[in-house]
Amino acid sequence: MHHRKYWHSETDSIYANTTKNNLSVIDHPDQSLFTVTMRNLQDKDTGHCNCVVDIQGQQTTTYRLYIQVESALDVSVVSSSASGHEGGDISVQCLYSRKYKNEVKWWCRYKDRRCYKEKKTVTSQNSSVQISDDGRGSFTVLMTGLRLTDSGWYFCSAGQKMNPVHLTVTEPKAEAPDVSVVSSSVSGHEGGDISVQCLYSPEYKNTVKQWCRYKDRSCYTVGRTDTSQNSSVQISDDERSSFTVLMTGLRLTDSGWYFCSAGQALNPVQLIVIKAGPDTEKDSFSCTSAAFDSGQCFDLEMEMETQSTPNLKIL
């Protein structure tokens, strides 16, 4: 069924999803409403207006209202839009004139007509909403534990006066890990060399960088070249965002799980050493950090009880 939505006044008539001069009408079918935005209001804009929904084959529905352009609003907002991430918080500051000091203050949602009253903390199926009035000309709405479904149009009100606010809730952005690796699986031949590049975020620039083996809790530190019973290990830090681990003279016993660390942050790497010789082949496999964290990758040599930084032995 076709619906036509439009705004009609003594000076303008404009359909939904159209902009004309300082007037725009936008349809929000997911919220069962359309909005009319008037910019640069003048005294001549004072007068009667109509929101109209013309449903094909049915009677036209009209909501008539009167717009009074004043020098100062009885109820206003510091910002007519607010945004936050899912699970986060937002606050909206609503202002009111002196004559509305003793009126009840509300925060309401247009879509379902749900309202929250001042001095009462309400936890709905969505977020927790709290309203506090300073008693001097403004009240603040605090919404915590935001959900994507909280997005939409709301309004502040004091008595019969109101002012709209649009809230947008977005999915949280994936944050880059504090420590990561270019490749989570490396392989080399017995007697050969391998290198691993470990990346770290700026806040870890001045922390100690290490290359550690899970099996025997042995660690090698940036700035030192260590020769163990296995291979020679050297770590160099570019002091910008990465350090490189070089293992030379690989032995078969070097195979296993290791990790790059900067401070207390770490990221796992699996090393596979293949026996040298033309008649021996061994396929390597890779394991992403995500798979490692979910427990899908397991190696008997890992012997790791938790994913926190283990007690380490520094060589």
Side-chain angles (χ1 to χ4, degrees):
M1 186 177 296
H2 181 63
H3 295 58
R4 290 197 312 167
K5 308 174 185 70
Y6 61 95
W7 169 261
H8 176 74
S9 68
E10 296 175 0
T11 58
D12 288 294
S13 183
I14 180 171
Y15 287 94
N17 301 320
T18 307
T19 299
K20 178 182 178 182
N21 298 326
N22 291 318
L23 178 66
S24 62
V25 179
I26 305 298
D27 188 15
H28 304 274
D30 60 319
Q31 300 178 56
S32 302
L33 59 85
F34 67 94
T35 59
V36 179
T37 303
M38 302 177 68
R39 302 175 183 84
N40 193 27
L41 289 171
Q42 307 293 324
D43 289 337
K44 64 181 179 64
D45 292 315
T46 295
H48 286 97
C49 303
N50 300 280
C51 291
V52 183
V53 179
D54 187 3
I55 304 175
Q56 187 176 12
Q58 298 185 20
Q59 184 177 359
T60 299
T61 302
T62 302
Y63 180 81
R64 187 172 175 82
L65 66 155
Y66 184 80
I67 294 179
Q68 176 69 51
V69 179
E70 300 176 344
S71 58
L73 295 175
D74 291 321
V75 174
S76 60
V77 290
V78 173
S79 176
S80 60
S81 64
S83 61
H85 292 300
E86 184 179 17
D89 310 333
I90 62 100
S91 64
V92 177
Q93 188 175 7
C94 309
L95 311 176
Y96 56 86
S97 59
R98 184 177 302 177
K99 61 183 177 182
Y100 288 89
K101 176 179 179 180
N102 297 320
E103 296 285 352
V104 177
K105 315 303 186 303
W106 298 86
W107 171 252
C108 302
R109 181 170 182 165
Y110 279 108
K111 183 177 181 179
D112 52 16
R113 303 296 190 270
R114 175 175 291 146
C115 290
Y116 305 90
K117 188 178 179 181
E118 65 173 305
K119 296 180 181 177
K120 185 177 181 182
T121 301
V122 181
T123 302
S124 69
Q125 62 181 356
N126 297 321
S127 308
S128 175
V129 179
Q130 183 176 355
I131 304 175
S132 56
D133 184 6
D134 66 5
R136 298 189 300 274
S138 74
F139 64 94
T140 301
V141 178
L142 175 65
M143 295 182 67
T144 60
L146 292 173
R147 297 188 181 185
L148 295 176
T149 52
D150 289 327
S151 293
W153 283 96
Y154 295 76
F155 61 85
C156 299
S157 73
Q160 297 300 311
K161 298 293 183 177
M162 63 179 68
N163 202 296
V165 178
H166 188 261
L167 171 61
T168 303
V169 181
T170 57
E171 294 182 354
K173 295 181 179 179
E175 296 183 358
D178 294 324
V179 174
S180 60
V181 290
V182 173
S183 177
S184 59
S185 178
V186 294
S187 62
H189 288 284
E190 182 182 17
D193 309 334
I194 62 99
S195 66
V196 177
Q197 188 176 9
C198 308
L199 313 175
Y200 56 84
S201 54
E203 58 266 34
Y204 287 85
K205 177 180 178 180
N206 297 319
T207 60
V208 175
K209 317 302 188 306
Q210 293 183 319
W211 170 252
C212 303
R213 181 170 183 165
Y214 280 110
K215 182 177 181 179
D216 54 14
R217 307 297 195 265
S218 57
C219 287
Y220 307 89
T221 307
V222 163
R224 291 176 55 186
T225 299
D226 297 286
T227 301
S228 70
Q229 60 180 356
N230 298 322
S231 307
S232 175
V233 178
Q234 182 178 356
I235 307 177
S236 57
D237 185 7
D238 68 6
E239 298 183 351
R240 293 190 302 272
S241 61
S242 71
F243 63 95
T244 302
V245 178
L246 175 64
M247 294 182 67
T248 60
L250 292 173
R251 299 189 181 185
L252 294 176
T253 52
D254 289 326
S255 293
W257 282 98
Y258 295 76
F259 62 83
C260 298
S261 73
Q264 297 299 309
L266 54 90
N267 201 296
V269 178
Q270 186 180 38
L271 168 60
I272 301 172
V273 180
I274 304 169
K275 185 175 179 60
D279 298 326
T280 303
E281 293 184 359
K282 182 176 181 180
D283 294 332
S284 62
F285 68 95
S286 62
C287 174
T288 64
S289 298
F292 175 86
D293 291 337
S294 65
Q296 295 175 15
C297 302
F298 182 79
D299 190 286
L300 292 177
E301 293 184 352
M302 190 165 66
E303 297 180 4
M304 181 180 65
E305 296 180 357
T306 68
Q307 293 186 23
S308 60
T309 304
N311 295 324
L312 306 174
K313 177 176 69 180
I314 309 299
L315 297 180

